Amino acid sequence: MKTKITLHFYAKSTKANAAGQLPIYVRLTVDGKRMEFSTKKFIDSAKWLPEMSKMKGNTENARSLNEYLDLLRSKVFDIQMELIHRNESLTIEVFKNRLLGIKEHEHMLIPIFKDHNNKIKELVGKEYAPGTLERYNTSLKHTVEFLEWKYKVSDIDINKIDHAFITEYEFYLRSVRNCANNTAVKYLKNFNKIIKICLANHWIERNPFANYKSKVKEVERVYLSEDEIQNILNKDFKTERLSLVRDIFLFSCFTGLAYIDVKNLTKSHISFGIDGEKWIFTHRQKTESASKIPILPITQMIIDKYEDHPECNNQNKLLPILSNQKMNAYLKEIAGVCEIEKELTFHIARHTFATTVTLTNGVPIESVSKMLGHKNLRTTQHYAKVLDKKVSEDMMILRNKFNLAKSPTNEIVKVNSN
């Protein structure tokens, strides 16, 4: 729809000065909305031509005043053309700011970033996990430090963020912050969300990420072998804290649940499944997807062991789990005691469930994916790499189909399809 714009100059009779001269006013109308302001020019009422919106005569004073009014007309036209060219809304507020030299509100990066993080904070436990807030706060911290490192400023107008800014930020993360490839890509992905907010609100015209390309490198997942699991299982720990951490870690190894999901478990999450056996019915906090896991014998033993633990009874927990930081610290002790050279963290238990406990033992990847609470199979494939042992077993089946026993005639034996 075309915007209707009209401009009119008039001598305002109600605002005469001490000398009896009238101020010349501008009346600008944009789609029915009107604004008026003084040109700061005065004129005798007898010298003003209202029908032509100009001063009578050809004197130097008349020419000077009329040229000034023409310049104002041109300025309005130029503003209109600029807004159309930039595909911006033609509003009375924008014309007013441009004509009167009022500086339009600048959108600064850091307040926008902080506002985003504050909204995440309000929704922690509802739509977001605490880890999400932590990642965005860290990303904000890196952004502030980058601005100081590169531009010696504490903030920047978002309209100054361009492709060069993004590539310099990436260089800073990789060099100064010494971030690995995937970590740098994730921080830039967080930053890109802030840029998308700016684009959605029409605060910036161009996407600085338009020609930026990055790729997450596939990382080989660490997991425990059967022997390593058995070693931890059989170890007699002298301290109660290591014994507790060992039990909860093994619980995760045989359920595939992440730390936060184990922490959130209550006795009400245990129920009977379709097969009449006990299952865990829960939802992953990270994705809110359902996770239904049959309880294996070792899992049940751990549940029974802590059934009457004071913390479980007082706080309605299934297991008396420690903080994630303490769990990981004690797991490093367990790795040392059990002579496991891998850097043991709680999340390795989830990888171990996907590989050693399930896939290696012939559980189809579709079933593993469902128990892990993944929304698609590709996510599961990142966790559960096909192991050499599984390849060996699969090839053994193939070998058995080919009867390679030497025949007296040295003929190639046909494939046994049975």
Side-chain angles (χ1 to χ4, degrees):
M1 184 176 178
K2 190 174 181 180
T3 304
K4 185 178 180 181
I5 301 172
T6 59
L7 184 70
H8 177 62
F9 298 104
Y10 68 98
K12 198 165 189 174
S13 58
T14 59
K15 295 280 187 177
N17 61 14
Q21 292 181 316
L22 305 180
I24 299 174
Y25 265 69
V26 179
R27 179 184 296 145
L28 177 66
T29 306
V30 179
D31 277 346
K33 292 186 177 181
R34 177 187 297 179
M35 67 167 285
E36 295 182 352
F37 61 92
S38 173
T39 62
K40 308 296 184 183
K41 304 290 184 181
F42 289 82
I43 190 172
D44 293 331
S45 59
K47 296 181 180 179
W48 181 251
L49 293 173
E51 65 278 5
M52 299 183 66
S53 295
K54 62 185 292 186
M55 184 177 177
K56 295 178 183 177
N58 196 30
T59 64
E60 182 66 30
N61 189 33
R63 285 198 302 272
S64 176
L65 177 62
N66 291 335
E67 285 176 3
Y68 176 77
L69 298 180
D70 287 339
L71 283 173
L72 278 178
R73 285 193 184 91
S74 298
K75 190 172 183 180
V76 170
F77 178 76
D78 290 342
I79 293 170
Q80 180 182 359
M81 290 299 101
E82 181 186 356
L83 293 174
I84 292 172
H85 177 71
R86 296 176 63 177
N87 198 28
E88 293 185 18
S89 300
L90 278 68
T91 64
I92 193 69
E93 290 81 11
V94 174
F95 276 97
K96 180 180 179 181
N97 291 338
R98 301 287 179 89
L99 285 169
L100 300 182
I102 299 173
K103 193 173 184 180
E104 295 181 40
H105 177 65
E106 288 183 339
H107 293 285
M108 304 301 286
L109 173 63
I110 302 306
I112 296 170
F113 212 139
K114 287 182 177 179
D115 179 65
H116 166 270
N117 289 8
N118 288 335
K119 288 175 180 176
I120 295 285
K121 184 179 180 180
E122 291 297 319
L123 294 174
V124 167
K126 299 175 183 177
E127 295 183 21
Y128 299 99
T132 304
L133 175 61
E134 184 180 351
R135 285 193 296 274
Y136 275 108
N137 282 336
T138 304
S139 184
L140 172 59
K141 176 177 174 288
H142 288 332
T143 303
V144 170
E145 291 172 352
F146 166 69
L147 290 174
E148 178 62 36
W149 176 80
K150 178 64 181 178
Y151 302 103
K152 300 295 185 288
V153 296
S154 59
D155 204 352
I156 189 171
D157 187 335
I158 56 172
N159 284 292
K160 293 181 180 178
I161 299 175
D162 53 13
H163 180 77
F165 181 99
I166 303 302
T167 55
E168 285 294 322
Y169 189 17
E170 180 185 27
F171 173 77
Y172 168 80
L173 291 171
R174 294 181 185 275
S175 59
V176 178
R177 300 303 312 176
N178 198 29
C179 293
N181 177 79
N182 291 1
T183 305
V185 170
K186 287 177 182 177
Y187 282 135
L188 284 164
K189 183 179 179 182
N190 291 342
F191 186 76
N192 192 18
K193 186 182 178 185
I194 307 303
I195 295 300
K196 286 179 179 178
I197 291 172
C198 297
L199 287 166
N201 285 284
H202 303 291
W203 296 335
I204 55 176
E205 295 178 36
R206 296 180 180 179
N207 184 359
F209 278 92
N211 296 314
Y212 171 78
K213 291 183 179 180
S214 63
K215 187 175 181 181
V216 176
K217 293 180 181 177
E218 190 170 327
V219 178
E220 186 176 343
R221 308 278 181 174
V222 178
Y223 56 87
L224 298 182
S225 66
E226 288 183 15
D227 289 341
E228 288 168 331
I229 296 173
Q230 197 65 44
N231 191 4
I232 295 175
L233 182 62
N234 294 337
K235 195 70 178 178
D236 182 22
F237 293 102
K238 303 300 181 184
T239 61
E240 184 180 341
R241 62 178 174 83
L242 290 184
S243 179
L244 169 65
V245 172
R246 182 267 309 275
D247 292 342
I248 297 176
F249 177 76
L250 288 174
F251 178 88
S252 182
C253 284
F254 287 92
T255 60
L257 291 172
Y259 168 82
I260 190 62
D261 299 319
V262 176
K263 183 180 180 181
N264 291 337
L265 285 180
T266 65
K267 293 178 181 179
S268 63
H269 288 109
I270 307 295
S271 188
F272 290 97
I274 194 171
D275 55 2
E277 300 291 337
K278 286 184 178 180
W279 287 41
I280 295 173
F281 294 86
T282 186
H283 281 78
R284 291 202 64 207
Q285 180 169 300
K286 183 177 180 180
T287 60
E288 297 184 354
S289 55
S291 187
K292 303 174 184 178
I293 310 151
I295 295 178
L296 298 172
I298 189 169
T299 312
Q300 187 62 53
M301 286 173 59
I302 295 169
I303 294 172
D304 293 341
K305 181 176 179 180
Y306 295 97
E307 184 177 9
D308 297 321
H309 193 282
E311 188 175 332
C312 295
N313 292 329
N314 295 335
Q315 300 182 26
N316 189 29
K317 290 183 177 181
L318 186 66
L319 296 171
I321 192 168
L322 306 178
S323 70
N324 197 18
Q325 186 178 10
K326 286 184 177 179
M327 290 290 293
N328 286 328
Y330 294 152
L331 281 170
K332 287 179 173 59
E333 281 191 55
I334 290 174
V337 172
C338 296
E339 298 181 348
I340 295 173
E341 295 182 359
K342 297 168 184 174
E343 186 177 349
L344 207 55
T345 64
F346 196 88
H347 205 65
I348 285 177
R350 188 165 166 83
H351 303 165
T352 301
F353 175 80
T355 52
T356 309
V357 174
T358 54
L359 280 182
T360 304
N361 288 299
V363 179
I365 194 169
E366 292 82 5
S367 298
V368 177
S369 183
K370 190 171 182 65
M371 287 187 286
L372 289 172
H374 288 161
K375 292 183 177 180
N376 60 71
L377 210 57
R378 290 186 63 185
T379 307
T380 313
Q381 289 169 341
H382 286 300
Y383 276 84
K385 292 297 178 185
V386 178
L387 308 176
D388 290 343
K389 182 179 177 182
K390 187 68 170 63
V391 172
S392 176
E393 290 172 354
D394 291 342
M395 290 304 293
M396 185 63 72
I397 295 171
L398 184 61
R399 286 194 189 97
N400 291 336
K401 287 186 176 182
F402 286 88
N403 186 356
L404 298 180
K406 292 182 179 180
S407 64
T409 58
N410 290 325
E411 294 180 353
I412 298 177
V413 178
K414 293 182 179 179
V415 175
N416 180 4
S417 60
N418 294 325

